[in-house]
């Protein structure tokens, strides 16, 4: 058996994209070369790594067994190339963030990390469900989530404390009340994030339990759009208190103080079989010490 790094690279890229055409574009190869390389790998292993359905390829059980090993071998090879290359610093890191973290924490993190290291990781922002899936499929190396991952193959490390608060427009009828009872909040119109986001899950599993059949009139996948609607008094929302600390929101919103506080833990997340390269370890250490670095 003579498995090559080229074969493993093709396999991992197809697993990430689910398509030979997209894998060919990513690797600057022809589709025919991609198909031939995958066939050679499968013939050497004696198994199929993907289930074929029309133009799509879906990684199967055998492929999932190979994926973490292939990902680690490629990471180690990249480390060797970096170690003996002209540029001795490995800067290949794929980072995922949920939308609140990506919008309101990530810019400061990247600025601080770049100042100390001279480079920034590739970053992608999506909701918790999408980011967790990407970590599980080795499409990204590490993620910053608004809560623990629920997938059994993912490790979640506690990161930052975060308080969720009820937000209304500055001219809202409840804006001047010291404490807003749950009975009044139950009568309000709620503007929330979409299903699959951590913010929505936290509302459903925490605050909503104290409300009497809350009326969710709008679900959107971006807090900027939600806050714009809140500013126009179309309803109220449930959001990280960190959002109110952004200078461009100052004076437009007020926090409605509730009968109790709602705290959650932001987490660092990676696959349990992920190879912790020196580059990945540097980001994990930086994140755990941020914002004090």
């Amino acid at each position: 058996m003579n498995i090559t790094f080229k074969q493993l690279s093709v396999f991992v890229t197809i697993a990430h994209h689910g398509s030979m055409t997209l894998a060919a574009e990513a690797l600057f190869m022809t589709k025919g070369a991609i198909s031939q390389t995958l066939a050679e790998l499968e013939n050497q292993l004696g198994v199929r790594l993907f289930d074929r359905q029309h133009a799509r390829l879906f990684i199967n059980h055998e492929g999932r067994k190979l994926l973490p090993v292939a990902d680690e071998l490629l990471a180690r090879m990249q480390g060797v190339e970096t170690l003996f290359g002209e540029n001795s610093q490995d800067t290949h890191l794929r980072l995922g963030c949920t939308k609140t973290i990506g919008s309101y924490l990530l810019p400061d993190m990247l600025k601080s990390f770049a100042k100390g290291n001279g480079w920034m990781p590739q970053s992608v922002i999506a909701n918790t469900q999408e980011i967790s899936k990407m970590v599980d499929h080795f499409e990204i190396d590490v993620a910053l989530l608004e809560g623990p991952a629920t997938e059994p193959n993912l490790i979640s490390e506690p990161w930052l404390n975060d308080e969720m608060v009820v937000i209304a427009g500055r001219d809202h009828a409840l804006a001047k009340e010291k404490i807003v009872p749950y009975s009044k909040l139950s009568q309000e119109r709620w503007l929330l994030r979409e299903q699959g986001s951590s913010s929505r899950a936290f509302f459903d599993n925490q605050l909503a339990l104290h409300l009497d059949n809350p009326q969710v009139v709008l679900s959107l996948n971006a807090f900027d759009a939600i806050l714009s609607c809140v500013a126009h008094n179309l309803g109220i929302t449930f959001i990280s208190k960190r959002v109110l600390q952004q200078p461009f929101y100052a004076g437009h919103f007020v926090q409605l103080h509730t009968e109790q506080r709602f705290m959650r833990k932001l987490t660092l997340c990676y696959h349990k079989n992920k190879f912790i390269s020196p580059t990945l370890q540097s980001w994990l250490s930086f994140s755990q010490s941020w914002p004090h670095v």
Side-chain angles (χ1 to χ4, degrees), residues 165-185:
V165 296
V166 179
I167 299 298
R170 62 184 180 184
D171 299 324
H172 194 277
L174 299 177
K176 295 182 179 181
E177 295 202 16
K178 291 184 178 181
I179 300 293
V180 181
Y182 294 130
S183 58
K184 288 189 177 181
L185 292 178

Side-chain angles (χ1 to χ4, degrees), residues 127-146:
N127 69 30
T128 298
Q129 194 174 65
E130 295 167 331
I131 291 294
S132 296
K133 181 179 179 181
M134 295 176 73
V135 176
D136 195 35
H137 291 178
F138 290 87
E139 296 176 23
I140 55 178
D141 300 307
V142 62
L144 303 173
L145 301 180
E146 297 163 49

Side-chain angles (χ1 to χ4, degrees), residues 22-124:
L22 295 177
E25 292 176 358
L27 294 174
F28 302 100
M29 297 171 62
T30 66
K31 184 178 178 181
I34 290 287
S35 179
Q36 180 180 347
T37 303
L38 176 61
E40 291 171 353
L41 176 60
E42 291 181 324
N43 288 336
Q44 289 192 60
L45 296 175
V47 297
R48 288 280 190 174
L49 300 172
F50 297 93
D51 295 326
R52 277 74 168 173
Q53 185 175 355
H54 303 296
R56 296 287 297 174
L57 281 79
F58 299 91
I59 192 167
N60 59 25
H61 176 69
E62 299 297 337
R64 290 198 177 280
K65 288 197 300 184
L66 177 61
L67 187 56
V69 179
D71 181 79
E72 177 177 344
L73 288 172
L74 292 172
R76 289 184 180 274
M77 176 54 69
Q78 187 172 37
V80 172
E81 293 174 347
T82 301
L83 185 63
F84 293 97
E86 294 182 3
N87 179 11
S88 61
Q89 186 179 28
D90 182 7
T91 61
H92 183 75
L93 185 69
R94 300 162 298 177
L95 169 69
C97 295
T98 49
K99 293 186 177 180
T100 298
I101 295 173
S103 298
Y104 305 113
L105 296 180
L106 183 61
D108 284 341
M109 291 186 72
L110 292 179
K111 178 181 178 181
S112 180
F113 186 80
K115 183 178 180 180
N117 296 272
W119 62 278
M120 295 184 294
Q122 301 174 23
S123 303
V124 59

